[in-house]
Structure formats: C-alpha cells, structure tokens
Coordinates of all heavy atoms in Angstrom, one line a residue:
M1 N 80.8 140.6 199.3 CA 80.5 141.1 200.6 C 79.2 142.1 200.5 O 78.4 142.0 201.4 CB 81.7 141.9 201.2 CG 81.4 142.4 202.5 SD 81.3 141.1 203.7 CE 81.4 142.0 205.2
P2 N 79.1 142.9 199.5 CA 77.9 143.8 199.4 C 76.6 142.9 199.3 O 75.6 143.3 199.9 CB 78.1 144.6 198.2 CG 79.6 144.7 198.0 CD 80.1 143.3 198.5
A3 N 76.7 141.8 198.6 CA 75.5 141.0 198.5 C 75.1 140.4 199.9 O 73.9 140.3 200.2 CB 75.7 139.8 197.5
Q4 N 76.1 140.1 200.7 CA 75.8 139.6 202.0 C 75.2 140.7 202.9 O 74.2 140.5 203.7 CB 77.0 139.0 202.7 CG 76.8 138.4 204.1 CD 75.8 137.3 204.0 OE1 75.8 136.4 203.1 NE2 74.8 137.3 204.9
Q5 N 75.7 141.9 202.7 CA 75.1 143.1 203.5 C 73.6 143.2 203.1 O 72.8 143.5 203.9 CB 75.9 144.3 203.2 CG 77.2 144.4 203.8 CD 78.0 145.6 203.3 OE1 77.9 146.1 202.2 NE2 78.9 146.1 204.2
L6 N 73.3 143.1 201.8 CA 72.0 143.3 201.3 C 71.1 142.2 201.9 O 70.0 142.4 202.3 CB 71.9 143.3 199.8 CG 70.5 143.5 199.2 CD1 69.9 144.8 199.7 CD2 70.6 143.5 197.7
K7 N 71.6 141.0 201.9 CA 70.8 139.8 202.5 C 70.5 140.1 203.9 O 69.4 139.9 204.4 CB 71.6 138.5 202.4 CG 71.7 138.0 201.0 CD 72.5 136.7 200.9 CE 72.7 136.2 199.5 NZ 73.5 135.0 199.4
N8 N 71.5 140.6 204.7 CA 71.3 140.9 206.1 C 70.2 142.0 206.3 O 69.4 141.9 207.1 CB 72.6 141.4 206.7 CG 73.6 140.3 206.8 OD1 73.3 139.1 206.7 ND2 74.9 140.7 207.0
Q9 N 70.2 143.0 205.4 CA 69.2 144.1 205.5 C 67.8 143.6 205.1 O 66.9 144.0 205.7 CB 69.6 145.3 204.6 CG 70.9 146.0 205.0 CD 71.0 146.3 206.5 OE1 70.0 146.7 207.1 NE2 72.1 146.0 207.1
L10 N 67.8 142.7 204.2 CA 66.5 142.1 203.8 C 66.0 141.2 205.0 O 64.7 141.2 205.2 CB 66.6 141.2 202.5 CG 66.8 142.0 201.3 CD1 67.0 141.1 200.1 CD2 65.6 142.9 201.0
E11 N 66.8 140.5 205.7 CA 66.4 139.8 206.8 C 65.9 140.7 207.9 O 64.9 140.4 208.6 CB 67.6 138.9 207.4 CG 67.9 137.8 206.5 CD 69.2 137.1 206.9 OE1 69.8 137.4 208.0 OE2 69.6 136.1 206.2
D12 N 66.6 141.8 208.1 CA 66.1 142.8 209.1 C 64.7 143.4 208.7 O 63.8 143.5 209.6 CB 67.1 144.0 209.2 CG 68.4 143.7 209.9 OD1 68.4 142.6 210.6 OD2 69.3 144.5 209.9
L13 N 64.5 143.6 207.4 CA 63.2 144.1 207.0 C 62.2 143.1 207.2 O 61.1 143.4 207.6 CB 63.3 144.5 205.5 CG 62.1 145.1 204.8 CD1 61.6 146.3 205.6 CD2 62.4 145.4 203.4
Q14 N 62.5 141.8 206.9 CA 61.5 140.7 207.1 C 61.2 140.6 208.6 O 60.0 140.4 208.9 CB 62.1 139.4 206.6 CG 61.0 138.4 206.4 CD 60.0 138.8 205.4 OE1 60.3 139.2 204.3 NE2 58.7 138.6 205.7
R15 N 62.1 140.8 209.5 CA 61.9 140.7 210.9 C 60.9 141.9 211.3 O 60.0 141.7 212.1 CB 63.2 140.8 211.7 CG 63.8 139.5 211.9 CD 64.9 139.5 213.0 NE 66.1 140.3 212.5 CZ 67.1 139.9 211.8 NH1 67.1 138.6 211.4 NH2 68.1 140.6 211.4
L16 N 61.2 143.1 210.8 CA 60.3 144.2 211.1 C 58.9 143.9 210.6 O 57.9 144.3 211.3 CB 60.8 145.5 210.4 CG 62.0 146.1 211.0 CD1 62.5 147.2 210.1 CD2 61.8 146.6 212.4
L17 N 58.7 143.3 209.5 CA 57.4 143.0 209.0 C 56.7 141.9 209.9 O 55.5 141.9 210.0 CB 57.5 142.5 207.5 CG 57.8 143.5 206.5 CD1 58.1 142.9 205.2 CD2 56.6 144.5 206.4
A18 N 57.5 141.0 210.5 CA 56.9 140.0 211.3 C 56.6 140.4 212.7 O 55.7 139.8 213.4 CB 57.9 138.8 211.4
E19 N 57.2 141.6 213.1 CA 56.9 142.0 214.5 C 55.5 142.6 214.5 O 55.2 143.5 213.8 CB 57.9 143.1 214.9 CG 59.3 142.6 215.1 CD 60.3 143.6 215.4 OE1 60.0 144.8 215.5 OE2 61.5 143.3 215.5
T20 N 54.8 142.2 215.5 CA 53.4 142.7 215.7 C 53.4 144.1 216.4 O 52.4 144.8 216.4 CB 52.6 141.7 216.4 OG1 53.2 141.4 217.7 CG2 52.4 140.4 215.6
D21 N 54.5 144.4 217.1 CA 54.5 145.7 217.8 C 54.8 146.9 216.9 O 54.7 148.0 217.3 CB 55.4 145.7 219.0 CG 56.9 145.5 218.6 OD1 57.2 145.1 217.4 OD2 57.8 145.8 219.4
Q22 N 55.1 146.6 215.6 CA 55.3 147.7 214.6 C 53.9 148.2 214.2 O 53.2 147.4 213.6 CB 56.1 147.2 213.4 CG 57.6 147.0 213.6 CD 58.3 148.2 213.9 OE1 58.0 149.3 213.3 NE2 59.3 148.2 214.7
P23 N 53.6 149.4 214.4 CA 52.3 149.9 214.1 C 52.1 150.2 212.6 O 51.9 151.3 212.2 CB 52.2 151.2 214.9 CG 53.6 151.7 215.0 CD 54.4 150.4 215.1
L24 N 52.3 149.2 211.8 CA 52.1 149.3 210.3 C 50.7 149.0 209.9 O 50.2 148.0 210.4 CB 53.1 148.4 209.6 CG 54.6 148.6 209.8 CD1 55.4 147.5 209.3 CD2 55.0 150.0 209.2
S25 N 50.2 149.7 209.0 CA 48.9 149.4 208.4 C 49.0 148.2 207.5 O 50.1 147.9 207.1 CB 48.3 150.6 207.7 OG 49.0 150.8 206.5
P26 N 47.9 147.5 207.2 CA 48.0 146.4 206.3 C 48.6 146.8 204.9 O 49.3 146.1 204.3 CB 46.5 145.9 206.2 CG 45.9 146.3 207.4 CD 46.6 147.6 207.8
Q27 N 48.2 148.0 204.5 CA 48.7 148.5 203.2 C 50.2 148.8 203.3 O 51.0 148.4 202.3 CB 48.0 149.8 202.8 CG 46.6 149.7 202.5 CD 45.7 149.7 203.7 OE1 46.1 150.0 204.8 NE2 44.4 149.3 203.6
E28 N 50.7 149.3 204.4 CA 52.1 149.5 204.5 C 52.9 148.2 204.6 O 53.9 148.0 204.0 CB 52.4 150.3 205.8 CG 52.0 151.8 205.7 CD 52.1 152.5 207.0 OE1 51.9 151.9 208.1 OE2 52.4 153.7 207.0
R29 N 52.3 147.2 205.3 CA 53.0 145.9 205.3 C 53.0 145.3 203.9 O 54.1 144.7 203.5 CB 52.2 145.0 206.3 CG 52.4 145.2 207.7 CD 51.8 144.2 208.6 NE 51.9 144.6 210.0 CZ 52.9 144.4 210.7 NH1 54.0 143.9 210.2 NH2 53.0 144.8 212.0
Q30 N 51.9 145.4 203.2 CA 51.9 144.8 201.9 C 52.9 145.5 201.0 O 53.6 144.9 200.2 CB 50.5 144.9 201.3 CG 50.4 144.4 199.9 CD 49.0 144.5 199.3 OE1 48.2 145.2 199.8 NE2 48.8 143.8 198.2
S31 N 53.0 146.8 201.1 CA 53.9 147.6 200.3 C 55.4 147.2 200.6 O 56.2 147.0 199.7 CB 53.7 149.1 200.5 OG 54.7 149.9 199.9
L32 N 55.7 147.1 201.9 CA 57.0 146.7 202.2 C 57.4 145.3 201.8 O 58.5 145.0 201.4 CB 57.2 146.8 203.8 CG 57.4 148.2 204.3 CD1 57.4 148.2 205.8 CD2 58.7 148.8 203.8
Q33 N 56.4 144.4 201.9 CA 56.6 143.0 201.5 C 56.9 142.9 200.0 O 57.8 142.2 199.6 CB 55.4 142.1 201.9 CG 55.6 140.6 201.6 CD 56.8 140.1 202.4 OE1 56.8 140.1 203.6 NE2 57.7 139.5 201.7
Q34 N 56.1 143.7 199.2 CA 56.3 143.7 197.8 C 57.7 144.3 197.4 O 58.4 143.7 196.6 CB 55.3 144.5 197.1 CG 53.9 143.9 197.1 CD 52.8 144.8 196.5 OE1 53.0 146.0 196.4 NE2 51.7 144.2 196.2
L35 N 58.1 145.3 198.2 CA 59.5 145.9 198.0 C 60.5 144.9 198.3 O 61.5 144.7 197.6 CB 59.6 147.2 198.8 CG 60.8 148.0 198.5 CD1 60.9 148.4 197.1 CD2 60.8 149.2 199.4
H36 N 60.3 144.2 199.4 CA 61.3 143.1 199.9 C 61.4 142.1 198.8 O 62.5 141.7 198.4 CB 60.8 142.5 201.2 CG 61.5 141.3 201.6 ND1 61.3 140.1 201.1 CD2 62.6 141.2 202.5 CE1 62.1 139.2 201.7 NE2 62.9 139.9 202.5
D37 N 60.3 141.6 198.3 CA 60.3 140.6 197.3 C 61.0 141.0 196.0 O 61.7 140.2 195.4 CB 58.8 140.1 196.9 CG 58.2 139.5 198.1 OD1 58.9 139.1 199.1 OD2 56.9 139.3 198.1
R38 N 60.8 142.3 195.6 CA 61.5 142.8 194.4 C 63.0 142.8 194.6 O 63.8 142.5 193.7 CB 61.0 144.2 194.1 CG 59.6 144.2 193.4 CD 59.1 145.6 193.1 NE 60.1 146.3 192.2 CZ 60.2 147.6 192.1 NH1 59.4 148.4 192.8 NH2 61.0 148.1 191.2
I39 N 63.4 143.3 195.8 CA 64.8 143.4 196.1 C 65.4 142.0 196.1 O 66.5 141.7 195.6 CB 65.1 144.1 197.4 CG1 64.7 145.6 197.2 CG2 66.6 144.1 197.7 CD1 64.6 146.4 198.5
E40 N 64.8 141.1 196.8 CA 65.2 139.7 196.9 C 65.3 139.1 195.5 O 66.3 138.4 195.2 CB 64.3 138.9 197.7 CG 64.9 137.5 198.1 CD 64.0 136.8 199.1 OE1 62.8 136.7 198.9 OE2 64.6 136.3 200.1
A41 N 64.4 139.3 194.6 CA 64.4 138.8 193.3 C 65.6 139.3 192.5 O 66.3 138.6 191.8 CB 63.1 139.1 192.5
R42 N 65.9 140.6 192.7 CA 67.0 141.2 192.0 C 68.3 140.6 192.6 O 69.3 140.4 191.8 CB 67.0 142.7 192.2 CG 68.3 143.5 191.7 CD 68.4 143.2 190.2 NE 69.6 143.9 189.6 CZ 70.7 143.3 189.3 NH1 70.8 142.0 189.5 NH2 71.7 143.9 188.8
L43 N 68.4 140.4 193.8 CA 69.6 139.8 194.4 C 69.8 138.4 193.9 O 70.9 138.0 193.6 CB 69.4 139.7 195.9 CG 70.6 139.2 196.8 CD1 71.8 140.0 196.5 CD2 70.2 139.1 198.2
L44 N 68.7 137.6 193.7 CA 68.8 136.3 193.1 C 69.1 136.2 191.6 O 69.6 135.2 191.1 CB 67.6 135.5 193.4 CG 67.3 135.2 194.9 CD1 65.9 134.5 195.1 CD2 68.4 134.4 195.5
A45 N 68.8 137.3 191.0 CA 69.1 137.4 189.5 C 70.6 137.5 189.3 O 71.4 137.6 190.3 CB 68.4 138.6 188.9
T46 N 71.0 137.5 188.1 CA 72.5 137.6 187.8 C 73.1 138.8 188.5 O 72.7 139.9 188.2 CB 72.7 137.6 186.3 OG1 72.0 136.6 185.7 CG2 74.2 137.5 186.0
Q47 N 74.0 138.5 189.4 CA 74.6 139.6 190.2 C 75.7 140.2 189.4 O 76.4 139.6 188.6 CB 75.1 139.1 191.5 CG 74.0 138.6 192.4 CD 74.5 138.2 193.8 OE1 75.7 138.4 194.1 NE2 73.7 137.5 194.5
G48 N 75.8 141.5 189.5 CA 76.9 142.3 188.9 C 76.5 142.8 187.5 O 77.2 143.6 187.0
E49 N 75.4 142.3 187.0 CA 75.0 142.8 185.6 C 74.0 143.9 185.8 O 73.1 143.8 186.6 CB 74.4 141.7 184.8 CG 75.4 140.7 184.4 CD 74.8 139.6 183.4 OE1 73.7 139.9 182.9 OE2 75.4 138.6 183.3
S50 N 74.1 144.9 185.1 CA 73.2 146.0 185.1 C 71.8 145.6 184.6 O 71.8 144.8 183.7 CB 73.7 147.2 184.3 OG 72.8 148.3 184.4
N51 N 70.8 146.1 185.2 CA 69.4 145.8 184.8 C 68.6 147.0 184.6 O 68.7 147.9 185.5 CB 68.8 144.9 185.9 CG 67.5 144.4 185.5 OD1 66.7 145.0 184.9 ND2 67.2 143.2 186.0
P52 N 67.9 147.2 183.6 CA 67.1 148.5 183.4 C 66.1 148.7 184.6 O 65.8 149.9 184.8 CB 66.3 148.2 182.1 CG 67.0 147.1 181.4 CD 67.7 146.3 182.5
E53 N 65.7 147.7 185.3 CA 64.8 147.9 186.4 C 65.5 148.4 187.7 O 64.9 148.8 188.6 CB 64.2 146.5 186.8 CG 63.2 146.0 185.7 CD 61.9 146.9 185.7 OE1 61.4 147.2 186.8 OE2 61.5 147.3 184.6
D54 N 66.9 148.4 187.7 CA 67.6 148.8 188.9 C 67.3 150.2 189.4 O 67.1 150.4 190.5 CB 69.1 148.6 188.7 CG 69.6 147.2 188.6 OD1 68.7 146.3 188.9 OD2 70.7 146.9 188.2
A55 N 67.2 151.1 188.4 CA 66.9 152.5 188.8 C 65.5 152.6 189.4 O 65.3 153.3 190.4 CB 67.1 153.5 187.6
N56 N 64.6 151.9 188.8 CA 63.2 151.9 189.3 C 63.2 151.3 190.7 O 62.4 151.8 191.6 CB 62.3 151.1 188.3 CG 60.9 151.3 188.6 OD1 60.5 152.2 189.3 ND2 60.1 150.3 188.1
L57 N 63.9 150.3 190.9 CA 64.0 149.6 192.2 C 64.5 150.6 193.3 O 63.9 150.7 194.4 CB 64.8 148.4 192.2 CG 65.0 147.6 193.5 CD1 63.6 147.1 194.0 CD2 65.9 146.4 193.3
V58 N 65.6 151.2 193.0 CA 66.2 152.2 193.9 C 65.2 153.3 194.2 O 65.1 153.8 195.3 CB 67.6 152.7 193.5 CG1 68.1 153.8 194.3 CG2 68.6 151.5 193.4
D59 N 64.6 153.8 193.2 CA 63.6 154.9 193.3 C 62.5 154.4 194.2 O 62.0 155.2 195.1 CB 63.0 155.3 192.0 CG 64.0 156.1 191.1 OD1 65.0 156.6 191.7 OD2 63.8 156.3 189.9
S60 N 62.0 153.2 194.1 CA 60.9 152.7 194.9 C 61.4 152.6 196.4 O 60.6 153.0 197.3 CB 60.5 151.3 194.5 OG 60.0 151.3 193.2
V61 N 62.6 152.2 196.6 CA 63.1 152.2 198.0 C 63.2 153.6 198.6 O 62.7 153.8 199.7 CB 64.4 151.4 198.1 CG1 65.0 151.4 199.5 CG2 64.3 150.0 197.6
N62 N 63.7 154.5 197.8 CA 63.8 155.9 198.3 C 62.4 156.5 198.6 O 62.3 157.2 199.5 CB 64.6 156.7 197.3 CG 66.0 156.5 197.3 OD1 66.6 156.3 198.4 ND2 66.7 156.5 196.2
L63 N 61.4 156.2 197.7 CA 60.1 156.7 198.0 C 59.5 156.1 199.3 O 58.8 156.8 200.1 CB 59.2 156.4 196.8 CG 59.3 157.2 195.6 CD1 58.5 156.7 194.4 CD2 59.0 158.7 195.9
S64 N 59.8 154.8 199.5 CA 59.4 154.2 200.8 C 60.1 154.8 202.0 O 59.4 155.0 203.0 CB 59.7 152.7 200.7 OG 58.9 152.1 199.7
I65 N 61.3 155.2 201.8 CA 62.0 155.8 203.0 C 61.3 157.1 203.3 O 61.0 157.4 204.5 CB 63.5 156.1 202.6 CG1 64.3 154.8 202.5 CG2 64.1 157.0 203.6 CD1 65.7 154.9 201.9
E66 N 61.0 157.9 202.3 CA 60.2 159.2 202.5 C 58.9 158.9 203.2 O 58.5 159.6 204.1 CB 60.0 159.9 201.2 CG 61.3 160.5 200.6 CD 61.0 161.1 199.2 OE1 59.8 161.5 199.0 OE2 62.0 161.3 198.5
H67 N 58.2 157.9 202.8 CA 56.9 157.6 203.3 C 57.0 157.2 204.8 O 56.2 157.6 205.6 CB 56.2 156.4 202.5 CG 55.0 156.0 203.1 ND1 53.8 156.7 203.0 CD2 54.7 154.9 203.9 CE1 52.8 156.0 203.6 NE2 53.3 154.9 204.2
F68 N 58.0 156.3 205.2 CA 58.1 155.8 206.5 C 58.9 156.6 207.5 O 58.9 156.4 208.7 CB 58.7 154.4 206.4 CG 57.7 153.4 205.9 CD1 57.9 152.9 204.6 CD2 56.6 152.9 206.6 CE1 57.0 152.0 204.0 CE2 55.8 152.0 206.1 CZ 56.0 151.5 204.8
Y69 N 59.6 157.6 207.0 CA 60.6 158.4 207.8 C 60.0 158.9 209.1 O 60.5 158.8 210.1 CB 61.2 159.5 206.9 CG 62.3 160.2 207.6 CD1 63.6 159.6 207.7 CD2 62.1 161.5 208.2 CE1 64.6 160.2 208.4 CE2 63.1 162.1 208.9 CZ 64.4 161.5 209.0 OH 65.4 162.1 209.6
A70 N 58.8 159.6 209.0 CA 58.2 160.3 210.2 C 57.6 159.3 211.1 O 57.8 159.4 212.3 CB 57.3 161.3 209.7
R71 N 56.8 158.4 210.6 CA 56.0 157.5 211.5 C 56.7 156.2 211.9 O 56.4 155.7 212.9 CB 54.7 157.1 210.7 CG 53.7 158.2 210.7 CD 52.3 157.8 210.2 NE 51.8 156.6 210.8 CZ 51.2 155.6 210.2 NH1 50.9 155.7 208.9 NH2 50.7 154.6 210.9
H72 N 57.6 155.8 211.1 CA 58.3 154.5 211.3 C 59.8 154.6 211.1 O 60.3 154.1 210.1 CB 57.7 153.4 210.5 CG 56.3 153.2 210.5 ND1 55.6 152.7 211.7 CD2 55.3 153.6 209.7 CE1 54.3 152.7 211.4 NE2 54.1 153.2 210.2
P73 N 60.5 155.4 211.9 CA 61.9 155.6 211.7 C 62.8 154.3 211.6 O 63.8 154.3 210.9 CB 62.4 156.5 212.9 CG 61.3 156.4 213.9 CD 60.0 156.0 213.2
T74 N 62.4 153.3 212.4 CA 63.2 152.0 212.3 C 63.1 151.4 210.9 O 64.1 151.0 210.4 CB 62.6 151.0 213.4 OG1 62.7 151.7 214.7 CG2 63.4 149.8 213.4
V75 N 61.9 151.4 210.4 CA 61.7 150.9 209.0 C 62.5 151.8 208.0 O 63.2 151.2 207.1 CB 60.2 150.9 208.6 CG1 60.0 150.5 207.2 CG2 59.5 149.9 209.5
A76 N 62.4 153.1 208.1 CA 63.1 154.0 207.2 C 64.6 153.7 207.3 O 65.3 153.7 206.3 CB 62.8 155.4 207.6
G77 N 65.1 153.5 208.5 CA 66.6 153.3 208.7 C 67.0 152.0 208.1 O 68.1 151.9 207.4
T78 N 66.2 151.0 208.2 CA 66.5 149.7 207.5 C 66.5 149.9 206.0 O 67.4 149.4 205.3 CB 65.5 148.6 207.9 OG1 65.5 148.4 209.4 CG2 65.8 147.3 207.2
L79 N 65.5 150.6 205.5 CA 65.5 150.9 204.1 C 66.6 151.7 203.6 O 67.2 151.5 202.5 CB 64.1 151.5 203.7 CG 62.9 150.7 203.8 CD1 61.6 151.5 203.6 CD2 62.9 149.5 202.9
Q80 N 67.1 152.6 204.4 CA 68.3 153.4 204.0 C 69.5 152.5 203.9 O 70.4 152.6 203.0 CB 68.6 154.5 205.0 CG 67.6 155.6 204.9 CD 67.7 156.7 206.0 OE1 68.0 156.4 207.2 NE2 67.5 157.9 205.6
R81 N 69.6 151.5 204.8 CA 70.7 150.5 204.7 C 70.6 149.6 203.5 O 71.6 149.2 202.9 CB 70.8 149.7 206.0 CG 71.3 150.6 207.2 CD 71.6 149.8 208.5 NE 70.4 149.2 209.0 CZ 69.5 149.8 209.8 NH1 69.7 151.0 210.1 NH2 68.5 149.1 210.3
V82 N 69.4 149.3 203.1 CA 69.1 148.6 201.9 C 69.6 149.4 200.7 O 70.3 148.8 199.8 CB 67.6 148.2 201.7 CG1 67.3 147.7 200.3 CG2 67.2 147.2 202.8
V83 N 69.3 150.7 200.6 CA 69.8 151.5 199.5 C 71.3 151.5 199.5 O 71.9 151.4 198.4 CB 69.2 152.9 199.6 CG1 69.9 153.9 198.7 CG2 67.7 152.9 199.3
Q84 N 71.9 151.6 200.7 CA 73.4 151.7 200.7 C 74.0 150.3 200.2 O 74.9 150.3 199.4 CB 73.9 151.9 202.1 CG 75.4 152.0 202.2 CD 75.9 153.1 201.4 OE1 75.5 154.3 201.4 NE2 77.0 152.8 200.6
A85 N 73.3 149.2 200.6 CA 73.8 147.9 200.1 C 73.6 147.8 198.6 O 74.5 147.2 197.9 CB 73.1 146.8 200.9
L86 N 72.5 148.2 198.1 CA 72.3 148.2 196.6 C 73.4 149.1 195.9 O 73.9 148.6 194.9 CB 70.9 148.7 196.3 CG 69.7 147.8 196.7 CD1 68.4 148.6 196.5 CD2 69.7 146.6 195.8
S87 N 73.6 150.2 196.5 CA 74.7 151.1 195.9 C 76.1 150.4 196.0 O 76.8 150.5 195.0 CB 74.7 152.4 196.7 OG 75.8 153.2 196.2
D88 N 76.4 149.8 197.1 CA 77.6 149.0 197.2 C 77.8 147.9 196.2 O 78.9 147.6 195.7 CB 77.8 148.5 198.6 CG 78.0 149.5 199.6 OD1 78.3 150.7 199.3 OD2 77.9 149.2 200.8
M89 N 76.6 147.4 195.7 CA 76.6 146.3 194.7 C 76.6 146.9 193.3 O 76.7 146.2 192.3 CB 75.4 145.5 194.9 CG 75.4 144.6 196.1 SD 73.8 143.7 196.3 CE 73.9 142.6 194.8
G90 N 76.6 148.2 193.2 CA 76.6 148.8 191.9 C 75.2 149.0 191.3 O 75.1 149.2 190.1
I91 N 74.2 148.9 192.1 CA 72.8 149.0 191.6 C 72.3 150.4 191.9 O 72.4 150.9 193.0 CB 71.9 147.9 192.3 CG1 72.4 146.5 191.9 CG2 70.5 148.1 191.9 CD1 71.7 145.4 192.6

C-alpha cells in the first residue's frame, strides 16, 4: 500500500509539472523533474531493501519543500506527501 501511495503522489507531482498555470521557472521545473525521476527510479528498484542513497533522496525532497514552501504551496504540499509515502515505505 505505501508503494501505491508514493505512485499516486508522483502522479500528482507530474500533473503539477505539466500544468502551465503553475508559475514555475524553467530551473524549478527541471529540478522537480529530476527529483521525480530519482524517486521513481527508487520505487522501481528493489522495494523494501535499504539503499545508501535513501537518506540523500529524502534530504533532497525536504530541501525542495523548503524551497517551494512560500512561492508554490501546492508543490510543497505534494512533496510533503511524497516524504510521508517514502517514510511509510521505510525509506
């Protein structure tokens, strides 16, 4: 179930990236896309096994939340749900 929650949050993040009414700069879009791709790759990797990159991944998401919190609260909220889903998966 946690993996499905993460998939749902990644889909929400992808939808936000696709929306043209989100006032994201090209750099912000690229940063979010790269973060999305890293999380998706981790999800596709062997699930349930600890990975040394996991802490780095969670840190990256948390830094993105801080960055987007004031200007893009919807994006920050989606990223917070991503962190929660990662935590639920033991990452």
Side-chain angles (χ1 to χ4, degrees):
M1 184 67 169
Q4 185 58 45
Q5 290 173 326
L6 183 57
K7 286 179 187 178
N8 293 341
Q9 297 311 317
L10 287 175
E11 288 172 5
D12 287 347
L13 183 57
Q14 196 62 49
R15 274 193 292 275
L16 287 172
L17 287 168
E19 291 177 3
T20 57
D21 65 342
Q22 287 292 327
L24 298 169
S25 72
Q27 294 83 9
E28 289 172 329
R29 284 185 188 281
Q30 181 181 12
S31 174
L32 284 173
Q33 186 62 55
Q34 288 172 345
L35 189 58
H36 172 277
D37 294 346
R38 285 180 60 203
I39 295 167
E40 188 172 51
R42 175 59 181 102
L43 183 61
L44 294 174
T46 307
Q47 294 182 13
E49 290 185 19
S50 181
N51 183 326
E53 291 290 314
D54 289 348
N56 188 20
L57 178 61
V58 173
D59 288 344
S60 294
V61 178
N62 283 323
L63 286 173
S64 293
I65 291 168
E66 289 177 22
H67 175 80
F68 289 104
Y69 187 76
R71 288 190 47 219
H72 307 289
T74 303
V75 173
T78 299
L79 292 172
Q80 286 174 324
R81 290 188 295 279
V82 166
V83 168
Q84 182 60 51
L86 289 169
S87 176
D88 291 347
M89 289 178 63
I91 297 175

